[in-house]
Amino acid sequence: MKLFNCTHCGNRVFFENLRCEACQSTLGFSPEEQAMIAFTVEPDGTWNRLGADGLAYRPCTNTAEGVCNWMVRTDSPHALCTSCRTTHTIPALSNPNNRAYWARLETAKRRLFFTLLELGLPVPNKADDPANGLSFEFLEEIDTSVRVLTGHDEGVITLNIAEADDARRESIRLSMHEPYRTLLGHFRHEIGHYYWDRLVRGTNWIDEYRSLFGDESVDYATALQQHYASPKADWALNYISVYASSHPWEDWAETWAHYLHMVDGLETAASWGLHLDHALHAGPPLDVFPVDPDSESIMAAVVEQWLPVSQFINAMDRSLGSQDSYPFVVNEPVVAKLDFVHRVVRAARTGASPMNFLVPAPTEIADTAPAA
């Protein structure tokens, strides 16, 4: 995540901010400009842009619900922002806790979308593109006999809202013996399944994918059953996580999530000007740079940039009495898989490799708030 400044006074602001603490301007994020814009809000509800001239905006309808701070162009027919338009179902707000869970889910999803938009990846929604679009279902498990499982199915990503409760998510993490479990991690993993369908399935990438990740035609249910019964003992030699070893689809999704971790993490470190004098023992000092989206390979960046930065982050975590933020070992086979993900993304963004996106007929849909 890059650094942001108030467009009115220049004060540093952050991605989730609603107001500049220095000049008290109202803030909103523009996905078109990838910037936090300062506004004055008139008595009639009109938002007027402050600072440099630019596009005119109005707030996403969900701003009034307290769950969004993204903006919509005034010439758009849509009431909801790019991110909120992909949310199809929210939990019942009659439960007062659910609004806070909904807000946390949307916040994590906006961070996901920020990275995807920076990478130049399309994020269509099913209202506009039923065949290829994205839809998020934020569901509450009312009856314990009817499980709500986080997962992906043909562009529909379901998340159990219990994951937005820190205590419950930590309890799940411990019960499943996982080193890492976060809302953003869930979003990055599940969107990986979506982009496998859009960018790899049935494309010229499939043979190289199978050489690195394995044959995805292996029965998925059987593979998961075998994994939970007897996980691979030597998984750490070839996979980023034990779950990645369960099936080639999960290996891709876990690797994809870690690619997004790395892209966002290195951009944050570089934006803050991180310099490590002791990145490697007896090695040269390191000035951190973001991942170059146009580079033909990122193997060197993973080893020379991400590994020292992730080690520094973990060292800071331990100094603050927290568990490691990045409790993973990135070995040589994983580096090759991360590099493959990067090359697939690069080819998709530049148009060098066709994507599995059907071009929908142009429509103008004035959307409403998502169903509860």
Side-chain angles (χ1 to χ4, degrees):
M1 181 73 62
K2 62 185 180 182
L3 293 178
F4 298 102
N5 297 95
C6 172
T7 56
H8 183 227
C9 71
N11 184 57
R12 177 175 294 164
V13 296
F14 297 91
F15 188 62
E16 290 81 15
N17 283 165
L18 302 173
R19 181 176 299 278
C20 174
E21 296 300 324
C23 69
Q24 300 303 304
S25 297
T26 300
L27 297 174
F29 179 78
S30 161
E32 289 85 2
E33 301 178 47
Q34 293 285 76
M36 294 292 290
I37 311 296
F39 298 88
T40 59
V41 182
E42 303 301 329
D44 65 357
T46 302
W47 288 46
N48 293 323
R49 181 172 181 149
L50 294 171
D53 293 336
L55 296 170
Y57 298 100
R58 62 175 180 271
C60 171
T61 298
N62 281 341
T63 299
E65 298 288 341
V67 300
C68 187
N69 68 341
W70 278 27
M71 306 303 293
V72 181
R73 288 176 55 164
T74 55
D75 59 359
S76 170
H78 302 293
L80 299 171
C81 72
T82 300
S83 178
C84 287
R85 286 176 64 208
T86 61
T87 301
H88 181 260
T89 304
I90 64 172
L93 299 183
S94 55
N95 181 339
N97 292 326
N98 286 354
R99 182 177 294 276
Y101 297 155
W102 177 29
R104 292 171 192 169
L105 289 163
E106 293 290 359
T107 297
K109 178 153 68 74
R110 288 195 301 276
R111 279 192 167 260
L112 168 72
F113 272 43
F114 174 88
T115 305
L116 296 176
L117 292 171
E118 280 215 314
L119 289 172
L121 293 174
V123 285
N125 65 81
K126 282 193 175 295
D128 291 342
D129 188 354
N132 303 313
L134 278 164
S135 177
F136 289 84
E137 307 282 331
F138 299 150
L139 304 181
E140 181 178 13
E141 191 170 282
I142 304 296
D143 184 347
T144 54
S145 66
V146 181
R147 299 289 308 280
V148 174
L149 300 177
T150 294
H152 167 268
D153 183 18
E154 295 295 333
V156 178
I157 293 176
T158 301
L159 273 90
N160 186 330
I161 65 168
E163 296 289 347
D165 183 317
D166 292 342
R168 292 165 73 185
R169 189 179 63 254
E170 179 65 6
S171 176
I172 295 170
R173 186 188 72 80
L174 291 172
S175 68
M176 298 187 71
H177 307 288
E178 296 174 338
Y180 174 93
R181 191 180 186 94
T182 69
L183 275 183
L184 186 53
H186 279 315
F187 278 108
R188 286 174 171 167
H189 174 98
E190 299 304 338
I191 206 77
H193 289 300
Y194 169 76
Y195 281 109
W196 188 88
D197 289 342
R198 302 277 71 86
L199 305 180
V200 179
R201 182 176 64 180
T203 72
N204 293 333
W205 292 108
I206 194 66
D207 289 338
E208 186 176 359
Y209 164 81
R210 288 171 178 165
S211 71
L212 289 168
F213 296 86
D215 183 0
E216 80 287 353
S217 68
V218 172
D219 186 76
Y220 181 74
T222 300
L224 283 190
Q225 186 178 25
Q226 292 174 346
H227 166 73
Y228 286 118
S230 180
K232 290 183 175 67
D234 62 349
W235 65 266
L237 298 177
N238 294 288
Y239 302 94
I240 189 65
S241 69
V242 63
Y243 189 55
S245 69
S246 64
H247 189 275
W249 279 337
E250 298 304 341
D251 192 9
W252 161 271
E254 285 286 88
T255 305
W256 174 279
H258 283 264
Y259 177 72
L260 298 188
H261 289 335
M262 180 181 65
V263 167
D264 205 15
L266 287 180
E267 183 179 55
T268 300
S271 295
W272 283 82
L274 183 64
H275 172 92
L276 299 176
D277 280 329
H278 306 290
L280 297 173
H281 177 66
L286 174 67
D287 288 311
V288 180
F289 292 97
V291 172
D292 180 0
D294 295 318
S295 63
E296 294 185 0
S297 172
I298 60 162
M299 287 190 176
V302 174
V303 175
E304 298 169 8
Q305 295 272 324
W306 178 237
L307 294 186
V309 168
S310 64
Q311 291 165 4
F312 167 72
I313 293 169
N314 288 342
M316 285 294 295
D317 287 330
R318 296 176 190 184
S319 294
L320 297 173
S322 300
Q323 65 185 40
D324 290 355
S325 296
Y326 194 75
F328 303 98
V329 175
V330 181
N331 52 36
E332 189 172 339
V334 172
V335 173
K337 294 173 187 178
L338 287 167
D339 190 65
F340 176 77
V341 171
H342 171 77
R343 289 184 287 114
V344 170
V345 170
R346 177 177 178 265
R349 186 186 69 258
T350 61
S353 181
M355 293 187 288
N356 295 322
F357 283 91
L358 299 176
V359 179
T363 58
E364 290 194 357
I365 301 174
D367 34 33
T368 58

